[in-house]
Amino acid sequence: MNQTPDTDERAARETIPPSPRASSATDAARRALVNRPSLSLRLHIFLVSLLTFFFGVGVALALWHNSQGVEEKLGFLDIANEFIIELQQARRFEKNYFLYGTNLGEAMDNTMRAREILKRNAEPLRKVAGERSFAVMLPHLDRYQELLARLEVMDQPGVRPDPEVKKQIELELRDHGHQMVSFAENLVHKEQISVRKAMASFRGIIISSLLFLTAFMLAVSWMLRRRIVGALVRFSGYAQRIARGDYTPITPARRYKDEFCDLALAINGMIDEIQSREEVLIQSHKMRAVGTLTAGVAHELNNPLNNITLTAHSLLEDYPELDDAERLDMLGDVVQEADRARRIIRNLLDFARESGSQVEPLDLARLLAETINLAANQIRLSGIRIEFNATDNLPRVHGDAQQLQQVFLNLILNAMDASPKGGKIQIVVVPADEPNYLAVKVIDFGSGIPEHIKNAIFDPFFTTKAKGKGTGLGLSVSQGIVAKHGGRIQVSSREGQGSTFTVLLPITTIPADIPDLHPAAI
Amino acid sequence: MAERPQILVVDDEPMVGKRLGPMLERLGGEVEVFSDPYAALLRLPKKHFDVVVSDIRMDEVTGLDILETALKISPETRVILITGYAMMSLARQAMAKGAFDFLAKPFTPDDLRAAVSRALDSLGFAVAPQPPQEQQSRA
């Protein structure tokens, strides 16, 4: 409740705990991934469904409204037809009256019923036919009824109707009757057309909403496909990249954060784990190389140690007979040899020391010279000659000196293993055929690599050495290190003639960094 | 004066010769020291040596070359080889080829004197008495 903003932030972070070994690059990538506006796939699908639902409701309402209109019109047509039938009946009786003098009462009845129908259905009729049609219809009906009533009066016994007047009434009756019927029939006809139109608009609504829905669904599925399939393609790319040894953390590729963000964070965590495990592997392999070199160093140490032993013993034995100059000379020899011993082990200790990865501009030729020096004792012990050549003034490469030294040492020790006694190894540092790359070639004239195992030599645990002699990790670890430096190792070999291992390293490897960390820049 | 044993010392570490020379001379020998094994190889045919002390591991000419040449010239020459621990198999090989003894680096003057004395003994030389300081050095 009363958390400080600091603990709030920590609580928020705890949902995606950063790996304890998280490198700064991973940390930056994590922040960039997390600090994006969120649009999860779940929300996306929910919004699409919601839109589809509202559209469906809209279509249903339109159809409902339309069908109601049709229903009203059909009701009107029923009433109008009833009305017309009554009027026609009235007119038939009216005709009979003028021909045979009968049925005047029935004509009156029919007219009354027609008026009754109008009155009863005034509301729906007004709605459909409009006020104006009432205004037209009612006076006709009134007049018609009035005329019928006058005729009725004339028919009373004892009244002598004037034939002229009767004729007049007959004409007027016919006129009003005809106008009423034709007006009503006209209205019916119009309404029938309007019903047909309403039916057509049903089809229109259905077809257009289907078309719209198809287009909408296509657009939505295209968007979702792009998000999901696109992300899957991207992540399989990441997996391949990581398998190649590129441990750059995943950075945001899209503006919005979604479920794939969690996956990216998990993969970044995994990259950190793999990296720290690889470091352990590299270190343990380095210790093996150190073990190999130790034999040479131990042997080489015997020389200064022997000199110190002999000199010290001589000094002890002959002390009284020696003059000061001789004693000083002997002590000087002891100091000098002790210094020599220190130098012999210092290189190895430098190399063996566990140090954090440090990327710096490196002079490859110098690094190679140091590596050869490191293995010098071993080389002397094996009786193999090393020829070293480097092109002058080569550009520098960015890299971790200790790790690259481990790669070169491994290649040199391998070459020594492959070389016959008294053989030679050529080491050259030259610009590679490929622009912007330097090539370090370690060439031996040994047994070569049989064709059928060429593809396996970089596999972890693959070894041709006797049991207990090799771990089969040297080339695998070397390849990992070189890949991390943006380079690669090439092999060419001919059985019985020797092998050439070429390490290609890019001249300007900018240290791994995360581009565009700011959400605004993505 | 009785014939003094002729001793050749070959080691490409100059300091070894520098210390071994006086030690062996005190043992009664006449010592020649070479730090260039090739020069030693050229010297061998020109003079008879009773004892040759040579390092086994040298760059161009090895102790084995010295051994072979010395025995070819005079089979009774006693060849003592100096070797590092890592070259034990080579040392055994050298013994098979006729080396009299070998010394593993680092060795003390006593080790050297013992080996050379035995070699001289086997050749019938009277070995000079050990210097009195030797007792102190053991202490």
Side-chain angles (χ1 to χ4, degrees):
Chain A
M1 283 298 204
N2 50 0
Q3 275 176 325
T4 64
D6 183 30
T7 49
D8 257 339
E9 196 187 33
R10 211 177 305 140
R13 270 192 198 169
E14 258 160 26
T15 50
I16 309 129
S19 153
R21 291 199 200 83
S23 62
S24 62
T26 315
D27 227 34
R30 189 179 60 81
R31 272 199 304 279
L33 284 167
V34 173
N35 293 339
R36 283 183 296 173
S38 172
L39 175 60
S40 69
L41 283 171
R42 223 174 309 159
L43 183 65
H44 192 157
I45 292 169
F46 175 73
L47 284 177
V48 165
S49 312
L50 201 67
L51 271 176
T52 315
F53 172 74
F54 281 131
F55 178 73
V57 168
V59 170
L61 283 178
L63 291 176
W64 179 274
H65 176 78
N66 212 20
S67 74
Q68 232 172 7
V70 169
E71 212 176 342
E72 273 169 10
K73 285 182 169 72
L74 288 177
F76 168 80
L77 283 178
D78 280 348
I79 296 161
N81 277 329
E82 219 178 311
F83 178 69
I84 287 169
I85 286 167
E86 291 300 335
L87 280 185
Q88 278 171 339
Q89 200 64 25
R91 292 208 64 203
R92 251 193 305 276
F93 289 130
E94 163 215 319
K95 225 173 266 166
N96 283 353
Y97 171 74
F98 285 113
L99 286 175
Y100 314 114
T102 56
N103 296 84
L104 186 63
E106 279 93 338
M108 198 63 173
D109 285 350
N110 282 125
T111 318
M112 290 297 281
R113 271 205 289 279
R115 174 176 286 277
E116 202 50 35
I117 287 167
L118 277 191
K119 219 199 264 166
R120 224 185 317 124
N121 299 297
E123 197 54 36
L125 286 178
R126 265 207 188 82
K127 214 164 157 190
V128 177
E131 199 62 46
R132 204 181 62 85
S133 19
F134 263 79
V136 173
M137 188 60 87
L138 274 178
H140 281 302
L141 197 57
D142 288 345
R143 185 72 185 145
Y144 192 82
Q145 247 181 329
E146 191 192 324
L147 290 171
L148 281 181
R150 275 174 66 183
L151 282 178
E152 220 166 23
V153 172
M154 278 182 206
D155 268 5
Q156 294 293 320
V159 179
R160 295 214 44 169
D162 182 354
E164 265 313 297
V165 173
K166 207 170 173 179
K167 190 79 193 161
Q168 197 67 38
I169 290 172
E170 185 187 348
L171 281 178
E172 212 180 326
L173 257 183
R174 259 188 208 159
D175 179 49
H176 284 299
H178 174 73
Q179 288 219 17
M180 272 193 302
V181 170
S182 70
F183 185 81
E185 277 178 340
N186 204 17
L187 261 184
V188 166
H189 182 64
K190 269 196 211 154
E191 282 311 306
Q192 275 171 342
I193 288 172
S194 139
V195 166
R196 229 167 273 141
K197 269 192 192 150
M199 294 310 282
S201 93
F202 265 115
R203 281 196 298 274
I205 288 173
I206 288 168
I207 287 171
S208 60
S209 63
L210 271 181
L211 282 178
F212 174 79
L213 216 61
T214 310
F216 180 69
M217 281 310 183
L218 278 177
V220 161
S221 58
W222 179 77
M223 272 170 72
L224 280 174
R225 192 206 70 88
R226 214 167 62 104
R227 282 191 72 176
I228 297 172
V229 178
L232 289 178
V233 167
R234 262 190 297 125
F235 277 88
S236 74
Y238 295 147
Q240 281 166 7
R241 176 171 70 89
I242 294 164
R244 276 199 310 271
D246 179 353
Y247 296 139
T248 322
I250 297 174
T251 53
R254 293 175 61 87
R255 184 188 291 273
Y256 297 106
K257 179 171 70 176
D258 56 22
E259 283 82 349
F260 287 106
C261 175
D262 294 343
L263 183 57
L265 289 173
I267 289 180
N268 281 351
M270 183 189 75
I271 287 175
D272 266 352
E273 279 306 310
I274 291 178
Q275 233 170 338
S276 69
R277 260 156 227 224
E278 203 183 58
E279 263 157 39
V280 171
L281 186 65
I282 289 173
Q283 183 63 22
S284 72
H285 181 264
K286 188 166 80 178
M287 292 328 284
R288 270 200 76 88
V290 167
T292 309
L293 293 181
T294 304
V297 164
H299 183 72
E300 190 58 28
L301 269 181
N302 275 330
N303 284 323
L305 193 55
N306 192 47
N307 289 339
I308 290 169
T309 308
L310 289 176
T311 308
H313 274 282
S314 299
L315 189 60
L316 263 181
E317 287 171 8
D318 306 335
Y319 194 83
E321 299 116 71
L322 296 171
D323 57 33
D324 275 357
E326 282 170 319
R327 289 171 189 165
L328 284 176
D329 176 54
M330 284 175 137
L331 284 174
D333 280 356
V334 169
V335 170
Q336 177 200 320
E337 291 302 295
D339 194 50
R340 179 178 163 198
R342 194 172 60 87
R343 272 204 312 278
I344 289 169
I345 55 172
R346 196 182 48 200
N347 277 344
L348 188 68
L349 289 180
D350 276 351
F351 175 66
R353 196 185 54 231
E354 197 166 346
S355 67
S357 187
Q358 239 179 354
V359 176
E360 55 192 341
L362 298 172
D363 178 352
L364 267 192
R366 227 185 88 196
L367 192 66
L368 255 299
E370 281 170 13
T371 311
I372 293 168
N373 189 30
L374 181 65
N377 305 313
Q378 200 64 21
I379 292 164
R380 202 169 311 137
L381 211 58
S382 64
I384 286 164
R385 236 165 350 109
I386 294 220
E387 281 176 18
F388 174 52
N389 281 301
T391 309
D392 289 336
N393 298 323
L394 284 171
R396 300 187 162 219
V397 299
H398 275 279
D400 180 325
Q402 223 189 50
Q403 288 195 351
L404 286 179
Q405 200 168 32
Q406 189 178 346
V407 171
F408 300 139
L409 180 68
N410 182 46
L411 293 181
I412 292 171
L413 292 179
N414 276 354
M416 277 167 55
D417 281 342
S419 296
K421 211 161 173 57
K424 75 165 177 182
I425 296 170
Q426 277 181 340
I427 298 171
V428 289
V429 187
V430 289
D433 300 334
E434 218 171 313
N436 294 325
Y437 276 84
L438 290 188
V440 175
K441 289 174 194 273
V442 178
I443 306 161
D444 70 65
F445 301 90
S447 45
I449 302 164
E451 197 62 43
H452 66 279
I453 62 166
K454 232 181 222 173
N455 290 327
I457 57 171
F458 288 105
D459 293 348
F461 306 113
F462 178 85
T463 180
T464 57
K465 295 177 187 169
K467 207 175 167 200
K469 282 270 195 166
T471 54
L473 286 175
L475 283 176
S476 160
V477 165
S478 297
Q479 197 182 39
I481 293 173
V482 173
K484 228 165 54 177
H485 284 79
R488 57 186 191 278
I489 303 180
Q490 292 173 340
V491 193
S492 68
S493 179
R494 285 178 68 180
E495 239 182 301
Q497 294 189 14
S499 317
T500 300
F501 281 80
T502 306
V503 178
L504 293 170
L505 288 169
I507 285 171
T508 46
T509 306
I510 289 127
D513 207 351
I514 320 282
D516 294 341
L517 277 181
H518 308 286
I522 297 163
Chain B
M1 147 175 167
E3 217 181 302
R4 292 176 66 189
Q6 300 297 308
I7 302 176
L8 176 71
V9 173
V10 190
D11 197 314
D12 56 357
E13 292 278 329
M15 210 179 286
V16 173
K18 193 167 151 192
R19 302 289 169 244
L20 258 50
M23 273 176 220
L24 294 176
E25 267 172 14
R26 208 158 312 143
L27 222 52
E30 209 164 273
V31 186
E32 276 188 44
V33 171
F34 286 89
S35 63
D36 175 4
Y38 190 65
L41 214 53
L42 294 179
R43 178 69 179 149
L44 273 172
K46 299 197 178 112
K47 185 181 165 186
H48 170 79
F49 288 102
D50 298 300
V51 176
V52 173
V53 179
S54 170
D55 192 5
I56 206 165
R57 168 85 266 151
M58 290 173 292
D59 276 343
E60 280 163 21
V61 180
T62 71
L64 288 180
D65 296 327
I66 301 274
L67 168 73
E68 275 170 18
T69 311
L71 290 184
K72 203 156 62 184
I73 292 164
S74 120
E76 65 272 21
T77 297
R78 303 295 188 239
V79 180
I80 297 169
L81 292 171
I82 302 170
T83 171
Y85 278 117
M87 313 300 285
M88 279 305 185
S89 64
L90 199 56
R92 240 170 261 126
Q93 195 186 329
M95 293 298 281
K97 279 191 172 171
F100 178 76
D101 201 352
F102 65 87
L103 290 167
K105 274 185 185 177
F107 57 87
T108 63
D110 285 349
D111 299 331
L112 174 80
R113 280 191 288 263
V116 174
S117 299
R118 279 199 298 118
L120 292 179
D121 250 1
S122 72
L123 286 169
F125 285 100
V127 181
Q130 300 285 303
Q133 289 91 340
E134 201 244 343
Q135 291 303 318
Q136 289 174 8
S137 76
R138 277 225 181 115

